[in-house]
Short mmCIF file of all heavy atoms in Angstrom, two decimals:
data_model
loop_
_atom_site.label_atom_id
_atom_site.label_comp_id
_atom_site.label_asym_id
_atom_site.label_seq_id
_atom_site.Cartn_x
_atom_site.Cartn_y
_atom_site.Cartn_z
N HIS A 482 12.78 113.14 -87.30
CA HIS A 482 13.10 114.48 -86.86
C HIS A 482 11.97 115.01 -85.96
O HIS A 482 10.87 114.49 -85.93
CB HIS A 482 13.31 115.40 -88.03
CG HIS A 482 12.16 115.40 -89.02
ND1 HIS A 482 12.07 114.47 -90.03
CD2 HIS A 482 11.04 116.18 -89.12
CE1 HIS A 482 10.94 114.70 -90.71
NE2 HIS A 482 10.30 115.71 -90.18
N ARG A 483 12.27 116.08 -85.24
CA ARG A 483 11.30 116.66 -84.31
C ARG A 483 10.19 117.36 -85.10
O ARG A 483 10.43 118.07 -86.07
CB ARG A 483 11.99 117.65 -83.39
CG ARG A 483 11.06 118.19 -82.29
CD ARG A 483 11.79 119.22 -81.45
NE ARG A 483 12.08 120.44 -82.21
CZ ARG A 483 11.22 121.44 -82.35
NH1 ARG A 483 9.99 121.36 -81.84
NH2 ARG A 483 11.55 122.50 -83.04
N MET A 484 8.96 117.15 -84.65
CA MET A 484 7.81 117.81 -85.23
C MET A 484 7.08 118.59 -84.13
O MET A 484 6.94 118.12 -83.00
CB MET A 484 6.84 116.79 -85.84
CG MET A 484 7.44 115.97 -87.00
SD MET A 484 7.55 116.92 -88.51
CE MET A 484 5.86 116.84 -89.12
N GLY A 485 6.62 119.81 -84.48
CA GLY A 485 5.84 120.57 -83.52
C GLY A 485 4.47 119.98 -83.28
O GLY A 485 3.95 119.24 -84.13
N LYS A 486 3.89 120.28 -82.17
CA LYS A 486 2.59 119.72 -81.81
C LYS A 486 1.47 120.60 -82.34
O LYS A 486 1.48 121.83 -82.13
CB LYS A 486 2.48 119.63 -80.29
CG LYS A 486 1.17 118.98 -79.81
CD LYS A 486 1.12 118.89 -78.30
CE LYS A 486 -0.23 118.28 -77.83
NZ LYS A 486 -0.31 118.21 -76.36
N TRP A 487 0.54 120.00 -83.04
CA TRP A 487 -0.64 120.73 -83.53
C TRP A 487 -1.81 120.54 -82.55
O TRP A 487 -2.00 119.44 -82.03
CB TRP A 487 -1.06 120.21 -84.89
CG TRP A 487 -0.31 120.85 -86.04
CD1 TRP A 487 0.77 120.36 -86.70
CD2 TRP A 487 -0.63 122.11 -86.63
NE1 TRP A 487 1.17 121.23 -87.67
CE2 TRP A 487 0.34 122.33 -87.67
CE3 TRP A 487 -1.59 123.08 -86.42
CZ2 TRP A 487 0.33 123.46 -88.45
CZ3 TRP A 487 -1.60 124.23 -87.21
CH2 TRP A 487 -0.63 124.40 -88.20
N THR A 488 -2.56 121.59 -82.34
CA THR A 488 -3.75 121.50 -81.49
C THR A 488 -4.94 122.07 -82.31
O THR A 488 -4.79 122.93 -83.17
CB THR A 488 -3.60 122.32 -80.22
OG1 THR A 488 -3.35 123.71 -80.54
CG2 THR A 488 -2.44 121.76 -79.38
N ALA A 489 -6.09 121.55 -82.01
CA ALA A 489 -7.31 121.97 -82.75
C ALA A 489 -7.64 123.43 -82.55
O ALA A 489 -8.29 124.05 -83.42
CB ALA A 489 -8.49 121.10 -82.30
N ASP A 490 -7.20 124.02 -81.44
CA ASP A 490 -7.51 125.42 -81.18
C ASP A 490 -6.43 126.40 -81.65
O ASP A 490 -6.45 127.59 -81.31
CB ASP A 490 -7.76 125.64 -79.67
CG ASP A 490 -6.56 125.30 -78.82
OD1 ASP A 490 -5.55 124.78 -79.36
OD2 ASP A 490 -6.63 125.57 -77.60
N SER A 491 -5.47 125.92 -82.44
CA SER A 491 -4.45 126.79 -82.99
C SER A 491 -5.10 127.92 -83.79
O SER A 491 -6.03 127.72 -84.55
CB SER A 491 -3.52 125.98 -83.93
OG SER A 491 -2.66 126.85 -84.64
N LYS A 492 -4.56 129.11 -83.59
CA LYS A 492 -5.06 130.28 -84.34
C LYS A 492 -4.36 130.47 -85.67
O LYS A 492 -4.75 131.34 -86.46
CB LYS A 492 -4.85 131.55 -83.50
CG LYS A 492 -5.64 131.61 -82.20
CD LYS A 492 -5.34 132.89 -81.47
CE LYS A 492 -6.09 132.98 -80.14
NZ LYS A 492 -5.78 134.26 -79.42
N THR A 493 -3.37 129.64 -85.94
CA THR A 493 -2.64 129.77 -87.23
C THR A 493 -3.57 129.50 -88.39
O THR A 493 -4.38 128.56 -88.36
CB THR A 493 -1.47 128.79 -87.25
OG1 THR A 493 -0.52 129.18 -86.23
CG2 THR A 493 -0.77 128.77 -88.59
N ARG A 494 -3.47 130.35 -89.40
CA ARG A 494 -4.33 130.19 -90.58
C ARG A 494 -3.63 130.88 -91.77
O ARG A 494 -2.60 131.55 -91.62
CB ARG A 494 -5.68 130.84 -90.34
CG ARG A 494 -5.63 132.36 -90.20
CD ARG A 494 -7.00 132.97 -89.96
NE ARG A 494 -6.97 134.43 -89.78
CZ ARG A 494 -7.13 135.31 -90.78
NH1 ARG A 494 -7.34 134.89 -92.03
NH2 ARG A 494 -7.08 136.62 -90.55
N VAL A 495 -4.21 130.69 -92.95
CA VAL A 495 -3.77 131.38 -94.15
C VAL A 495 -4.75 132.48 -94.48
O VAL A 495 -5.98 132.26 -94.50
CB VAL A 495 -3.63 130.41 -95.33
CG1 VAL A 495 -3.46 131.16 -96.66
CG2 VAL A 495 -2.46 129.45 -95.11
N ALA A 496 -4.27 133.68 -94.77
CA ALA A 496 -5.10 134.75 -95.26
C ALA A 496 -4.75 135.01 -96.73
O ALA A 496 -3.58 135.15 -97.07
CB ALA A 496 -4.86 136.03 -94.45
N THR A 497 -5.74 135.03 -97.58
CA THR A 497 -5.51 135.25 -99.02
C THR A 497 -6.63 136.06 -99.63
O THR A 497 -7.71 136.21 -99.03
CB THR A 497 -5.38 133.89 -99.74
OG1 THR A 497 -4.90 134.08 -101.06
CG2 THR A 497 -6.71 133.13 -99.80
N MET A 498 -6.39 136.65 -100.80
CA MET A 498 -7.34 137.60 -101.37
C MET A 498 -8.62 136.91 -101.85
O MET A 498 -9.72 137.29 -101.47
CB MET A 498 -6.68 138.36 -102.53
CG MET A 498 -5.57 139.29 -102.10
SD MET A 498 -4.68 140.05 -103.50
CE MET A 498 -5.97 141.11 -104.21
N GLY A 499 -8.45 135.91 -102.73
CA GLY A 499 -9.63 135.18 -103.20
C GLY A 499 -10.43 135.84 -104.29
O GLY A 499 -11.28 135.24 -104.94
N GLU A 500 -10.17 137.13 -104.54
CA GLU A 500 -10.84 137.84 -105.63
C GLU A 500 -9.95 138.99 -106.09
O GLU A 500 -9.10 139.49 -105.36
CB GLU A 500 -12.21 138.38 -105.18
CG GLU A 500 -12.17 139.31 -103.97
CD GLU A 500 -13.55 139.71 -103.49
OE1 GLU A 500 -14.53 139.06 -103.85
OE2 GLU A 500 -13.62 140.72 -102.76
N ASP A 501 -10.11 139.34 -107.33
CA ASP A 501 -9.32 140.39 -107.97
C ASP A 501 -7.82 140.13 -107.87
O ASP A 501 -7.00 141.05 -107.79
CB ASP A 501 -9.64 141.77 -107.40
CG ASP A 501 -10.79 142.43 -108.15
OD1 ASP A 501 -10.96 142.12 -109.35
OD2 ASP A 501 -11.50 143.28 -107.58
N ASP A 502 -7.43 138.83 -107.86
CA ASP A 502 -6.03 138.47 -107.83
C ASP A 502 -5.68 137.67 -109.10
O ASP A 502 -6.52 137.52 -110.00
CB ASP A 502 -5.67 137.69 -106.57
CG ASP A 502 -6.49 136.39 -106.44
OD1 ASP A 502 -7.34 136.10 -107.30
OD2 ASP A 502 -6.31 135.69 -105.43
N PHE A 503 -4.48 137.15 -109.16
CA PHE A 503 -4.06 136.41 -110.36
C PHE A 503 -4.95 135.21 -110.63
O PHE A 503 -5.31 134.91 -111.76
CB PHE A 503 -2.61 135.95 -110.24
CG PHE A 503 -1.60 137.07 -110.19
CD1 PHE A 503 -0.64 137.13 -109.18
CD2 PHE A 503 -1.58 138.06 -111.17
CE1 PHE A 503 0.30 138.17 -109.16
CE2 PHE A 503 -0.67 139.09 -111.15
CZ PHE A 503 0.29 139.14 -110.11
N ARG A 504 -5.32 134.52 -109.56
CA ARG A 504 -6.15 133.32 -109.74
C ARG A 504 -7.52 133.66 -110.30
O ARG A 504 -7.99 133.03 -111.27
CB ARG A 504 -6.31 132.61 -108.38
CG ARG A 504 -7.36 131.53 -108.29
CD ARG A 504 -7.03 130.36 -109.17
NE ARG A 504 -8.03 129.29 -109.06
CZ ARG A 504 -9.18 129.23 -109.74
NH1 ARG A 504 -9.50 130.21 -110.57
NH2 ARG A 504 -10.02 128.21 -109.56
N SER A 505 -8.17 134.67 -109.77
CA SER A 505 -9.55 134.94 -110.17
C SER A 505 -9.66 135.66 -111.49
O SER A 505 -10.70 135.59 -112.16
CB SER A 505 -10.24 135.77 -109.07
OG SER A 505 -9.55 136.98 -108.85
N ASN A 506 -8.62 136.35 -111.92
CA ASN A 506 -8.69 137.13 -113.18
C ASN A 506 -8.07 136.41 -114.38
O ASN A 506 -7.95 136.99 -115.44
CB ASN A 506 -7.97 138.47 -113.01
CG ASN A 506 -8.73 139.40 -112.07
OD1 ASN A 506 -9.94 139.42 -112.08
ND2 ASN A 506 -8.00 140.18 -111.26
N GLU A 507 -7.69 135.13 -114.21
CA GLU A 507 -6.98 134.43 -115.27
C GLU A 507 -7.86 134.12 -116.48
O GLU A 507 -9.00 133.69 -116.35
CB GLU A 507 -6.42 133.12 -114.71
CG GLU A 507 -5.52 132.37 -115.67
CD GLU A 507 -4.89 131.15 -115.03
OE1 GLU A 507 -5.62 130.14 -114.86
OE2 GLU A 507 -3.70 131.21 -114.68
N GLN A 508 -7.28 134.34 -117.64
CA GLN A 508 -7.83 133.91 -118.92
C GLN A 508 -6.80 133.05 -119.62
O GLN A 508 -5.59 133.21 -119.40
CB GLN A 508 -8.18 135.10 -119.82
CG GLN A 508 -9.21 136.06 -119.23
CD GLN A 508 -9.44 137.28 -120.10
OE1 GLN A 508 -9.20 137.26 -121.29
NE2 GLN A 508 -9.91 138.36 -119.46
N SER A 509 -7.24 132.09 -120.44
CA SER A 509 -6.31 131.16 -121.04
C SER A 509 -6.84 130.67 -122.39
O SER A 509 -8.03 130.43 -122.55
CB SER A 509 -6.08 129.94 -120.11
OG SER A 509 -5.08 129.11 -120.60
N VAL A 510 -5.94 130.56 -123.36
CA VAL A 510 -6.31 130.03 -124.71
C VAL A 510 -5.21 129.06 -125.15
O VAL A 510 -4.04 129.19 -124.76
CB VAL A 510 -6.47 131.16 -125.74
CG1 VAL A 510 -7.59 132.09 -125.36
CG2 VAL A 510 -5.17 131.92 -125.91
N THR A 511 -5.58 128.13 -126.01
CA THR A 511 -4.62 127.25 -126.68
C THR A 511 -4.56 127.65 -128.13
O THR A 511 -5.60 127.74 -128.83
CB THR A 511 -5.02 125.79 -126.54
OG1 THR A 511 -5.09 125.42 -125.15
CG2 THR A 511 -4.01 124.87 -127.23
N LEU A 512 -3.36 127.92 -128.62
CA LEU A 512 -3.18 128.42 -129.98
C LEU A 512 -3.36 127.28 -130.99
O LEU A 512 -2.66 126.27 -130.96
CB LEU A 512 -1.81 129.05 -130.16
CG LEU A 512 -1.50 130.24 -129.23
CD1 LEU A 512 -0.08 130.73 -129.48
CD2 LEU A 512 -2.48 131.39 -129.49
N ALA A 513 -4.30 127.49 -131.91
CA ALA A 513 -4.55 126.46 -132.93
C ALA A 513 -3.46 126.43 -133.98
O ALA A 513 -3.30 125.44 -134.66
CB ALA A 513 -5.92 126.74 -133.62
N GLN A 514 -2.72 127.50 -134.08
CA GLN A 514 -1.58 127.55 -135.02
C GLN A 514 -0.53 128.47 -134.44
O GLN A 514 -0.78 129.24 -133.49
CB GLN A 514 -2.05 128.07 -136.39
CG GLN A 514 -2.71 129.43 -136.34
CD GLN A 514 -3.35 129.81 -137.67
OE1 GLN A 514 -3.57 128.97 -138.50
NE2 GLN A 514 -3.60 131.09 -137.84
N ALA A 515 0.68 128.37 -134.98
CA ALA A 515 1.79 129.22 -134.52
C ALA A 515 1.40 130.68 -134.64
O ALA A 515 0.69 131.08 -135.57
CB ALA A 515 3.04 128.92 -135.32
N ALA A 516 1.92 131.51 -133.72
CA ALA A 516 1.55 132.92 -133.73
C ALA A 516 2.70 133.75 -133.19
O ALA A 516 3.59 133.25 -132.49
CB ALA A 516 0.30 133.16 -132.84
N ILE A 517 2.68 135.03 -133.58
CA ILE A 517 3.62 136.00 -133.02
C ILE A 517 2.73 137.02 -132.28
O ILE A 517 1.99 137.77 -132.90
CB ILE A 517 4.45 136.70 -134.09
CG1 ILE A 517 5.30 135.63 -134.85
CG2 ILE A 517 5.37 137.75 -133.47
CD1 ILE A 517 6.13 136.24 -135.98
N LEU A 518 2.80 136.97 -130.95
CA LEU A 518 1.86 137.76 -130.16
C LEU A 518 2.44 139.13 -129.77
O LEU A 518 3.66 139.33 -129.77
CB LEU A 518 1.50 136.98 -128.89
CG LEU A 518 0.94 135.56 -129.07
CD1 LEU A 518 0.53 134.98 -127.72
CD2 LEU A 518 -0.24 135.59 -130.02
N ARG A 519 1.50 140.03 -129.43
CA ARG A 519 1.83 141.37 -129.04
C ARG A 519 1.01 141.73 -127.83
O ARG A 519 -0.19 141.42 -127.77
CB ARG A 519 1.55 142.31 -130.21
CG ARG A 519 1.89 143.79 -129.99
CD ARG A 519 1.64 144.62 -131.24
NE ARG A 519 0.23 144.76 -131.58
CZ ARG A 519 -0.42 144.09 -132.53
NH1 ARG A 519 0.21 143.18 -133.26
NH2 ARG A 519 -1.71 144.32 -132.77
N ILE A 520 1.60 142.38 -126.87
CA ILE A 520 0.89 142.82 -125.67
C ILE A 520 0.76 144.37 -125.75
O ILE A 520 1.77 145.06 -125.89
CB ILE A 520 1.60 142.43 -124.36
CG1 ILE A 520 1.79 140.91 -124.30
CG2 ILE A 520 0.80 142.89 -123.15
CD1 ILE A 520 2.68 140.45 -123.14
N GLU A 521 -0.44 144.87 -125.67
CA GLU A 521 -0.71 146.31 -125.80
C GLU A 521 -1.42 146.81 -124.56
O GLU A 521 -2.24 146.12 -123.95
CB GLU A 521 -1.58 146.58 -127.01
CG GLU A 521 -0.98 146.18 -128.35
CD GLU A 521 -1.93 146.45 -129.49
OE1 GLU A 521 -3.14 146.60 -129.26
OE2 GLU A 521 -1.46 146.47 -130.65
N HIS A 522 -1.12 148.06 -124.25
CA HIS A 522 -1.88 148.80 -123.22
C HIS A 522 -2.61 149.93 -123.95
O HIS A 522 -2.01 150.75 -124.64
CB HIS A 522 -0.93 149.38 -122.17
CG HIS A 522 -1.64 150.25 -121.16
ND1 HIS A 522 -1.51 151.62 -121.13
CD2 HIS A 522 -2.45 149.90 -120.12
CE1 HIS A 522 -2.23 152.09 -120.13
NE2 HIS A 522 -2.79 151.08 -119.49
N VAL A 523 -3.92 149.95 -123.80
CA VAL A 523 -4.77 150.94 -124.47
C VAL A 523 -5.38 151.89 -123.43
O VAL A 523 -6.07 151.45 -122.51
CB VAL A 523 -5.88 150.26 -125.28
CG1 VAL A 523 -6.71 151.31 -126.03
CG2 VAL A 523 -5.31 149.25 -126.24
#
Side-chain angles (χ1 to χ4, degrees):
H482 54 273
R483 186 182 68 84
M484 298 285 280
K486 183 180 179 181
W487 275 98
T488 59
D490 61 353
S491 169
K492 295 180 181 179
T493 294
R494 66 180 179 93
V495 168
T497 191
M498 292 174 68
E500 57 185 18
D501 271 333
D502 59 1
F503 294 129
R504 167 66 177 83
S505 58
N506 290 324
E507 185 176 76
Q508 300 175 23
S509 187
V510 298
T511 300
L512 300 178
Q514 58 189 17
I517 300 177
L518 304 185
R519 181 176 70 257
I520 303 171
E521 298 178 342
H522 176 253
V523 182

